[in-house]
Amino acid sequence: MAVDFFDFYEIPKKFFIDEESLKSKFLKKAKLNHPDFYVNNPAKYNEAMEQTSLNNQAFKILNKFDSRMEYILKNHGLLKESKNEIPQDFLLEMMDINEDIMDLQFEFDSEKIQEVKLKIQQIGEDLDFQIHTLTSKYDKSDVSSSEETTSILEQIRNYYLKQKYVLRLQESLDKFAPL
């Protein structure tokens, strides 16, 4: 059975956590389970190595908001390999930007590039705001009311997928038109 990283650190399963407390718990576990303390005891050494690896992995995931969000969504079964569908209405909205990017790859226009970058930035900022609003609502909600919780998490998932798409657009544009 996989270890829940929130349980591992004994912290609430929330999007917004006390990152300083997380870091403190990480360092405490790192010190407690350091393999060098057990070099003469192979069984304890292997256990310490496993705990150190788990500690590093858990901290890496929970220490950053985006990876923590992805982790929570995966734990609720809302992010699955190749089953993450971006809402169609959003993809239709992005068609114009995709076309602009393709046109710019063939015909460089610095003014148009700035215009497209601004559009992408504005969409990204709106998505960040929506994600922040919903994740805050989730953290404040009564997690035992599963219907509302599921609804909020599904909305977060949709905005998360849209955000990833927008980041890919930005990366695509940056490849041939860096800042």
Side-chain angles (χ1 to χ4, degrees), residues 51-66:
Q51 286 298 308
T52 297
S53 176
L54 179 61
N55 190 34
N56 290 335
Q57 183 183 12
F59 183 73
K60 181 180 177 187
I61 297 290
L62 296 183
N63 190 43
K64 292 195 169 82
F65 181 81
D66 287 343

Side-chain angles (χ1 to χ4, degrees), residues 85-100:
E85 296 179 11
I86 299 170
Q88 281 299 117
D89 59 332
F90 179 75
L91 291 176
L92 289 173
E93 289 176 33
M94 295 297 103
M95 262 173 54
D96 288 340
I97 292 176
N98 275 308
E99 287 176 11
D100 287 343

